[in-house]
Amino acid sequence: MLSKFQIAVDKARMLFLGARKTQGSLSPFTQCSFSSSANMVEHQSSSSKVQALYELCKSTFSSSGLPPPSSAVVQKICSLLDSISPADVGMKEETSDDDRGHGIFGLQRLSRVAKWSQPITYTDVYECDSFTICIFCFPTSSVIPLHDHPGMTVFSKVLYGSLHVKAYDWVEPAVLSKNKDGFPSTERLAKFAVDKVLTAPCGTSVLYPNAGGNLHCFTALTPCAVLDILTPTYNEQAGRKCTYYHDYPDSTLCNPAAASGAEVKDGGTDEYAWLSEIETPEDLYMRPGQYTGPAIRE
């Protein structure tokens, strides 16, 4: 698993490469609460929702992302994801007052420093050139910074817990800010798309290449887990590189439209922000987990 994180180009591996200080085997503080291997054997003895999800994705998605999934396909995948529980992927459902992310000693015996240093755990369920199925487990207050999904469609199902989502979509055609000399800078204008809390049980969220909040940031309000489907996968050679951004809401600017020389429609300046590309954050703290849910039969 570790070597896959080092050489791959999909979302989770890009995130992991940005947090190399987390390499190594999982400690008791970082493991997701997956079911035991004995339970895994029981799960694998019959057809599963994970198998159905794999088969639906396999018959639908392509490595190029074309054609994009139709509304009927999106609805079908969302319906299946909505029916999936933590147990269906070999996980134990957790509550907001448990010690997930804080190890066997629990919250009371951890220092504040230890609490805030807990990593996000990424677990591969299945991946190919056309799509990735994966699970992110978040300790309370952990963050995946603002990042994009170029040319991709992403389905996100919160399995348990509460997660705050902030997301943007690019303003098209592209609008760049201007520096003090009047020349275009590297900051690009984006329109605010999503600002909400997802608390399980809730419906599946979907983002598209140009809509639905393609650039998003996750913040865990409680211990939580998210089941993701990304299609197609990240692939830098195909122009699908995971890029991180810092956002500057328009409330800090006098007039974004005037500053850029472009016309901004549909709402006030508080609906927009300038996004500036940044390096992978050094404090992105992530480790690989082991999937112990129902095996996928290819």
Side-chain angles (χ1 to χ4, degrees):
M1 170 68 77
L2 187 59
S3 62
K4 290 175 62 180
F5 272 77
Q6 294 172 324
I7 63 174
V9 292
D10 64 24
K11 176 180 183 179
R13 289 176 286 188
M14 293 294 291
L15 292 172
F16 183 75
L17 284 170
R20 289 177 180 171
K21 63 182 179 181
T22 67
Q23 290 180 358
S25 59
L26 290 175
S27 72
F29 294 101
T30 64
Q31 296 183 34
C32 294
S33 291
F34 283 93
S35 300
S36 66
S37 57
N39 290 335
M40 179 180 66
V41 174
E42 180 180 347
H43 284 315
Q44 293 175 351
S45 63
S46 60
S47 182
S48 67
K49 291 180 180 179
V50 172
Q51 181 68 32
L53 186 63
Y54 157 77
E55 292 174 357
L56 181 56
C57 292
K58 194 72 172 180
S59 64
T60 302
F61 300 135
S62 68
S63 59
S64 67
L66 299 173
S70 66
S71 57
V73 168
V74 169
Q75 184 177 3
K76 192 171 184 179
I77 292 175
C78 286
S79 179
L80 181 52
L81 282 170
D82 287 346
S83 72
I84 293 179
S85 69
D88 291 321
V89 291
M91 299 183 69
K92 298 178 182 178
E93 186 167 4
E94 304 291 344
T95 60
S96 59
D97 58 353
D98 69 14
D99 66 350
R100 172 175 294 278
H102 308 294
I104 59 175
F105 301 108
L107 186 60
Q108 297 298 322
R109 297 181 60 184
L110 273 182
S111 69
R112 178 174 294 272
V113 173
K115 173 184 175 182
W116 284 89
S117 66
Q118 300 312 305
I120 297 166
T121 301
Y122 166 84
T123 302
D124 252 330
V125 177
Y126 179 84
E127 66 170 329
C128 62
D129 291 340
S130 300
F131 63 94
T132 297
I133 303 175
C134 59
I135 300 171
F136 291 90
C137 293
F138 297 79
T140 301
S141 301
S142 58
V143 176
I144 293 183
L146 186 65
H147 61 283
D148 63 356
H149 308 82
M152 299 162 64
T153 300
V154 180
F155 300 79
S156 297
K157 163 66 176 177
V158 178
L159 295 171
Y160 63 79
S162 293
L163 186 75
H164 177 255
V165 181
K166 179 175 71 172
Y168 299 91
D169 288 309
W170 292 121
V171 169
E172 296 290 354
V175 176
L176 300 178
S177 66
K178 293 183 178 180
N179 59 28
K180 63 181 180 180
D181 297 320
F183 294 103
S185 73
T186 57
E187 295 176 353
R188 182 176 173 182
L189 193 65
K191 181 175 176 60
F192 201 63
V194 177
D195 183 13
K196 64 182 178 181
V197 174
L198 301 176
T199 301
C202 60
T204 299
S205 298
V206 187
L207 63 83
Y208 302 91
N210 300 305
N214 186 273
L215 303 98
H216 67 196
C217 171
F218 286 161
T219 303
L221 303 182
T222 70
C224 60
V226 178
L227 174 62
D228 267 3
I229 301 174
L230 300 86
T231 180
T233 60
Y234 280 102
N235 186 327
E236 188 168 350
Q237 292 182 340
R240 297 190 300 273
K241 174 186 176 183
C242 182
T243 303
Y244 295 90
Y245 297 88
H246 183 81
D247 57 336
Y248 300 91
D250 278 347
S251 60
T252 65
L253 304 174
C254 57
N255 188 328
S260 64
E263 180 181 2
V264 177
K265 302 178 180 179
D266 301 327
T269 57
D270 60 338
E271 295 182 7
Y272 295 86
W274 296 111
L275 303 189
S276 179
E277 183 176 337
I278 61 173
E279 296 294 327
T280 302
E282 293 183 358
D283 58 353
L284 179 57
Y285 195 14
M286 187 172 295
R287 287 188 174 181
Q290 182 178 3
Y291 175 66
T292 60
I296 290 176
R297 300 184 302 276
E298 299 186 53

